[in-house]
Amino acid sequence: MVPHLVTALTGPINELEQRVLDSMPAIERWFRLEWMEHTPPFYCSVDVRNAGFKLAPVDTDLYPRGWNNLTPAMLPLAVQAAMAAIEKICPEARNLLIIPENDLGNTFYLANLQQMARIFHMAGLNVRFGSISPEVKKSTTFKLPDGDTLVLEPVIRTRGRVGVKDFDPCTILLNNDLVAGVPGILEDLSEQYLLPPLHASWSTRRRSTHFKTYEEVAKRFGKLIGVDPWLINPMFDRCGGVDLGTDEGLEALTARVETLLAKVKKKYKEYGIKERAFVVVKADNLGGSAGLMSVRDAKDVNALAKKAHGAAGSPFQGVQELILQEGVLTLERMNAAVAEPVVYMMDRYVVGGFYRIHAERGIDEDLNAPGSAYVPLAFDQSTHLPQLGVRPGASAPNRFYMYGVIGRLAMLAASYELEATDPQAEKYD
């Protein structure tokens, strides 16, 4: 099942597709050389938006959930990628401990964990689940919708190593973004690999750092294949240390929004785009899309910001670090519902993905919200390899290849980001 674009089969996105396909050997060589010099994140997912005139990542998750949404046909690819990743990190690995989110009340998230366990088990690892929540004091069994069970055990620390009862893992895989902070039990581990590293967590990570790095990657990639980097890169700005409950904070945000909107409108004019430009305001240090604001006119900032600031549980209360991002429309459709692709990767490989769809959201709205649904897609099957010589816009595998390229660009940016922010790395002037 493949979504369709509401745009005609001509225009910038098809020109970009043709340029990407024509440059495939150069692109694959470029990625290969990059991965010789840089270590990819262990796993990640990237939300991609296809506006018909540009194709860009809008979020990169280093603790991807939703593995259960991948098609079963993708399992072999995921298993092979897991084998490659583990082999590089700990070739003699036998035991893997997965640390999930503290709240396991969501059956979809449990199904995600079940799929992760299946992938790593087939990659040759014994897999257990350990909780760092202080509320989990004994082994707990969860029943899954398919009748299977999942056992969660309290994490214990002994002589600088963490595990669960009678289970000493070589590697600990976090599926918990540690947004509330890094617990001491995970710090200063002795001869154990913790993935992703603690500085990838939202307690220290910043979206603006990632997109600054992505901007540089996009410039280099644009030069490689001869395209304007803007076609694959959302403009952004950072607005740090603002309190939206004060006039000064609102004025600072309004000025930043106005400046960024002017830059986006200039690009729209250059490409003859008739859509109305907008800017998305998010928390710079928080995953997901809680409190997200879409602004089409700087005059609307006051009303939107006050509403967001006053909402219960809003992340926009008090002094905040904000990122302003060029809004990217999605013109994909599936059964009349708005859709966007999400690309899943492990090590340096695209292993699959899905379309996130939402029947009640518009083309300029966030789809990662209650009411969304997921349709698995095979991004890289042997029977769905790119089809050279096919008219741009007419081949789903070619479009999927483009999505995979954008996903890998975001993954490469994440690699640079983690290297630059590693507190253990040597710094040179």
Side-chain angles (χ1 to χ4, degrees):
M1 199 173 188
V2 180
H4 63 273
L5 278 173
V6 296
T7 52
L9 294 180
T10 57
I13 201 68
N14 292 318
E15 293 170 15
L16 177 62
E17 178 181 311
Q18 189 64 60
R19 188 61 63 91
V20 167
L21 291 172
D22 290 345
S23 307
M24 188 184 299
I27 290 171
E28 296 306 323
R29 178 179 182 274
W30 185 75
F31 275 124
R32 188 166 63 248
L33 294 176
E34 287 294 327
W35 296 132
M36 289 176 66
E37 299 292 332
H38 306 280
T39 303
F42 185 81
Y43 60 2
C44 71
S45 66
V46 178
D47 294 357
V48 178
R49 303 276 283 203
N50 184 350
F53 53 85
K54 75 181 295 178
L55 182 71
V58 293
D59 205 15
T60 301
D61 187 355
L62 299 181
Y63 302 86
R65 307 148 190 84
W67 290 93
N68 54 304
N69 293 318
L70 272 59
T71 173
M74 285 296 93
L75 275 182
L77 272 179
V79 170
Q80 289 174 354
M83 286 178 173
I86 291 294
E87 185 177 329
K88 286 197 301 189
I89 296 160
C90 184
E92 68 278 11
R94 180 183 295 119
N95 297 332
L96 174 72
L97 181 68
I98 298 177
I99 296 180
E101 294 287 352
N102 291 346
D103 182 7
L104 296 185
N106 187 320
T107 56
F108 292 104
Y109 182 66
L110 290 173
N112 158 72
L113 296 177
Q114 179 190 35
Q115 182 82 308
M116 290 176 64
R118 186 179 294 124
I119 290 168
F120 291 110
H121 178 75
M122 288 190 286
L125 296 169
N126 300 312
V127 181
R128 301 266 284 272
F129 293 98
S131 174
I132 54 175
S133 170
E135 297 177 8
V136 177
K137 302 185 183 299
K138 63 179 182 179
S139 178
T140 306
T141 300
F142 295 87
K143 200 153 193 178
L144 300 168
D146 64 359
D148 202 353
T149 58
L150 186 147
V151 178
L152 182 70
E153 305 170 74
V155 166
I156 53 178
R157 179 164 174 143
T158 308
R159 294 187 296 276
R161 293 176 68 87
V162 298
V164 294
K165 187 178 180 182
D166 301 323
F167 189 79
D168 183 28
C170 161
T171 305
I172 297 98
L173 179 61
L174 287 170
N175 200 237
N176 182 326
D177 59 17
L178 304 180
V179 68
V182 174
I185 196 171
L186 295 179
E187 295 182 321
D188 302 318
L189 298 181
S190 175
E191 298 181 351
Q192 284 181 310
Y193 297 94
L194 181 67
L195 304 167
L198 292 177
H199 67 279
S201 71
W202 282 118
S203 57
T204 55
R205 190 179 179 223
R206 298 294 179 267
R207 275 185 164 119
S208 56
T209 303
H210 174 74
F211 280 100
K212 177 63 178 174
T213 308
Y214 181 82
E215 184 176 68
E216 296 305 313
V217 169
K219 286 178 182 177
R220 291 176 50 216
F221 184 79
K223 186 176 181 180
L224 175 73
I225 68 171
V227 300
D228 181 352
W230 178 75
L231 295 174
I232 57 171
N233 177 45
M235 294 180 179
F236 80 98
D237 192 9
R238 183 177 178 274
C239 189
V242 295
D243 185 346
L244 300 186
T246 66
D247 290 340
E248 293 81 1
L250 290 172
E251 288 172 6
L253 179 59
T254 300
R256 295 276 189 175
V257 168
E258 194 167 29
T259 300
L260 184 56
L261 271 173
K263 290 180 180 179
V264 177
K265 288 175 181 176
K266 184 178 179 182
K267 273 294 183 183
Y268 276 27
K269 185 176 181 181
E270 178 184 339
Y271 281 91
I273 296 163
K274 304 302 181 186
E275 303 285 352
R276 192 178 178 196
F278 66 105
V279 165
V280 174
V281 181
K282 314 176 189 179
D284 196 17
N285 58 340
L286 190 65
S289 54
L292 179 148
M293 294 187 293
S294 292
V295 185
R296 291 185 175 280
D297 191 316
K299 297 175 185 175
D300 299 333
V301 168
N302 274 22
L304 288 170
K306 286 178 179 177
K307 182 179 178 182
H309 180 268
S314 169
F316 292 147
Q317 294 174 343
V319 177
Q320 293 297 318
E321 299 175 59
L322 303 176
I323 179 173
L324 286 60
Q325 192 177 66
E326 172 191 350
V328 182
L329 304 170
T330 177
L331 296 185
E332 305 263 11
R333 288 286 188 280
M334 180 171 284
N335 295 335
V338 176
E340 66 182 8
V342 184
V343 182
Y344 270 57
M345 290 159 288
M346 190 177 295
D347 194 60
R348 58 192 177 98
Y349 304 102
V350 176
V351 298
F354 52 84
Y355 269 93
R356 181 186 289 121
I357 64 174
H358 205 301
E360 299 174 4
R361 292 270 170 144
I363 62 174
D364 60 347
E365 293 183 286
D366 177 50
L367 305 187
N368 190 11
S372 59
Y374 306 92
V375 178
L377 286 173
F379 272 70
D380 189 17
Q381 252 178 316
S382 59
T383 55
H384 287 155
L385 293 173
Q387 300 172 328
L388 302 181
V390 175
R391 176 169 49 88
S395 166
N398 287 355
R399 190 57 49 90
F400 296 164
Y401 176 74
M402 279 203 5
Y403 295 159
V405 167
I406 297 299
R408 285 184 288 166
L409 289 174
M411 179 169 63
L412 180 59
S415 173
Y416 286 8
E417 172 196 353
L418 292 179
E419 289 174 5
T421 56
D422 184 356
Q424 304 301 320
E426 294 185 38
K427 306 296 181 183
Y428 299 93
D429 293 331

